[in-house]
Amino acid sequence: MATTPTPTAPKSAAPPPRSVLRDPAFLRLWAGTTASGLATWALPFVLGLAVLHRDLGAAGLGLVLAARTAGFLAAVAVGGVLADRHSRRAVALWSALAAAAAAPLLAAGLGRSLVLMTAAAALAGAGQGACRPAFQALTAEIVAPERRQQANAAMTMAVRSSTLAGPALTALLAAFLDVGTLLLGIGLLWLVAALVPGKGAATKAHTAAEAGRLNFRSDFLEGIREARRHPWFLAGLGALVAVIALGYSATSVALPLISRDRYGTEWVLAAAMTAYTLGALGGALVIARWRPRSQGWAAFAGLAAYGVAPLSLMLPVHPLVVVAAYAVAGIGIELFNVPWFTATQREVAPDKLARVSSLDFLVSYGLAPIGLALIAPAIDCFGITPVLAACAAACFLVPAAAAVVPTARHFGRTTPPPTTG
């Protein structure tokens, strides 16, 4: 006897993915990253106040900041290897604690021992450098793939907000606190960065690597081999280096000179740098939701947009044009950064992600001081306009060349699946 089948209940539509900003684990990581960003950007400003108060000389300031950069570059590769071999949360914890320990040492050496301050600055830089790849890999562990672009946008907004608010907040506090106390406050920020983020996922990569069969050299070379598997990554790294080492370095040197000599005011310098940061915040807001069909090409176009900054400095334009050009450059840089970080988290093997990220930071940050060191002599030799023209051309042409590399169109071998913000 035939029976009428019982009708099945209609399947309910899957609930929309919850915003990453409502995820407690991500918010803890975001808070730690924000604290580390504030500490990073506040330190040079506080040391500058020490120069104003005659607790530190100009040459001493240069030495201390150089030591911090050296510590960063020395530790970022080590931090990438450690974060792939062991718990990324543990690497972030101990790195941030090292940076926190450097703060009271800086305060103790202030006005007393330049040697102690230099060593402490190197320790602070090392902590900062080792944190970066660990935090980058932790984001991939904590956040689901479909929400990583939104997460990376929130992370970069924290960095840009720190750039904007850090010096202003420090200047406000300096009206009530001395430099030594401000340095201790930077140490407290690093303690927040160390203690607030939660644990990431326990991956097989961590447990397998804990056997410690490989040494640092072979581990790091393995990360380089992984990077070479992704032509879009190498092309993007080359384009990023060109924009930072040439474009950013040229504008960093030329903008103060042009603000003083052409416009006769410091207002253009301050307004352009503020516009750049506000533009970057706007770019991060846009890319948190926007998913271009060819995300690699869109990202390279954003990176190339930095070329309008040196271009505006070449021409006798109204100062508002310079400010607008810097805003465009800021928007473009985040239209590149956020998809770049997201694609790295998606395409790179999870057990090698921290090492590839450390390679990114090492190359881009490592070559920036070289560009800064060479731009000023080049301006003295060839003049400011030819140097700016060459740097603007590099900003436009190198990303365009990188965009034609195989796999560059989508920052991967295949088109990424559509995601929701």
Side-chain angles (χ1 to χ4, degrees):
M1 178 179 177
T3 59
T4 303
T6 303
T8 58
K11 293 183 179 180
S12 59
R18 187 176 61 168
S19 169
V20 72
L21 299 178
R22 298 174 61 188
D23 183 346
F26 172 74
L27 288 178
R28 291 177 65 180
L29 179 62
W30 181 87
T33 304
T34 302
S36 69
L38 281 170
T40 297
W41 288 103
L43 182 58
F45 192 83
V46 171
L47 293 175
L49 292 176
V51 174
L52 294 178
H53 294 169
R54 301 187 185 280
D55 294 321
L56 183 66
L61 174 63
L63 181 62
V64 170
L65 292 179
R68 187 179 76 146
T69 301
F72 177 93
L73 295 176
V76 69
V78 176
V81 170
L82 292 177
D84 278 340
R85 289 172 61 87
H86 305 290
S87 163
R88 278 124 184 206
R89 177 65 188 92
V91 173
L93 169 67
W94 290 106
S95 301
L97 287 177
L105 296 177
L106 283 166
L110 188 66
R112 300 180 184 88
S113 173
L114 183 58
V115 173
L116 178 58
M117 291 194 70
T118 302
L123 179 62
Q128 176 194 345
C131 267
R132 293 298 297 270
F135 276 142
Q136 183 76 359
L138 266 175
T139 303
E141 287 187 4
I142 289 174
V143 181
E146 65 273 11
R147 295 190 294 169
R148 286 179 188 160
Q149 184 151 323
Q150 187 186 51
N152 286 315
M155 288 292 194
T156 198
M157 288 179 66
V159 173
R160 297 301 179 182
S161 299
S162 300
T163 307
L164 190 65
L169 179 61
T170 305
L172 178 63
L173 293 175
F176 306 98
L177 304 172
D178 59 31
V179 174
T181 304
L182 291 174
L183 288 171
L184 294 178
I186 290 175
L188 291 177
L189 287 172
W190 278 114
L191 282 178
V192 172
L195 301 177
V196 168
K199 293 182 179 179
T203 65
K204 293 181 179 179
H206 294 164
T207 56
E210 285 172 355
R213 291 189 295 267
L214 300 179
N215 59 32
F216 168 79
R217 180 177 179 274
S218 60
D219 273 1
F220 188 69
L221 290 176
E222 188 178 16
I224 294 177
R225 285 193 293 271
E226 172 65 19
R228 292 174 62 186
R229 289 183 53 245
H230 305 280
W232 64 268
F233 181 85
L234 297 180
L237 193 56
L240 187 61
V241 166
V243 170
I244 291 177
L246 296 176
Y248 188 81
S249 296
T251 54
S252 297
V253 174
L255 178 60
L257 298 176
I258 289 175
S259 181
R260 180 196 67 191
D261 298 338
R262 180 186 298 168
Y263 300 109
T265 176
E266 297 176 355
W267 174 85
V268 178
L269 170 62
M273 296 309 298
T274 302
Y276 177 79
T277 302
L278 291 175
L281 285 169
L285 283 172
V286 169
I287 202 61
R289 294 286 181 179
W290 182 40
R291 302 295 187 271
R293 291 176 60 87
S294 301
Q295 65 169 3
W297 285 358
F300 281 125
L303 185 62
Y306 192 89
V308 301
L311 190 63
S312 71
L313 297 178
M314 289 173 52
L315 307 173
V317 295
H318 192 277
L320 289 180
V321 176
V322 176
V323 175
Y326 269 78
V328 170
I331 293 171
I333 206 70
E334 293 308 336
L335 295 183
F336 174 83
N337 279 341
V338 174
W340 170 259
F341 291 142
T342 305
T344 303
Q345 293 161 350
R346 181 186 68 242
E347 298 290 327
V348 172
D351 61 323
K352 301 178 182 66
L353 175 57
R355 278 170 283 179
V356 173
S357 296
S358 71
L359 181 65
D360 176 7
F361 297 131
L362 181 65
V363 172
S364 56
Y365 281 85
L367 293 180
I370 299 175
L372 285 170
L374 294 178
I375 288 296
I379 289 176
D380 291 338
C381 182
F382 302 106
I384 194 167
T385 299
V387 170
L388 286 172
C391 292
C395 289
F396 292 132
L397 296 178
V398 177
V404 303
V405 169
T407 73
R409 178 174 181 175
H410 301 293
F411 275 171
R413 298 184 182 279
T414 58
T415 306
T419 60
T420 58

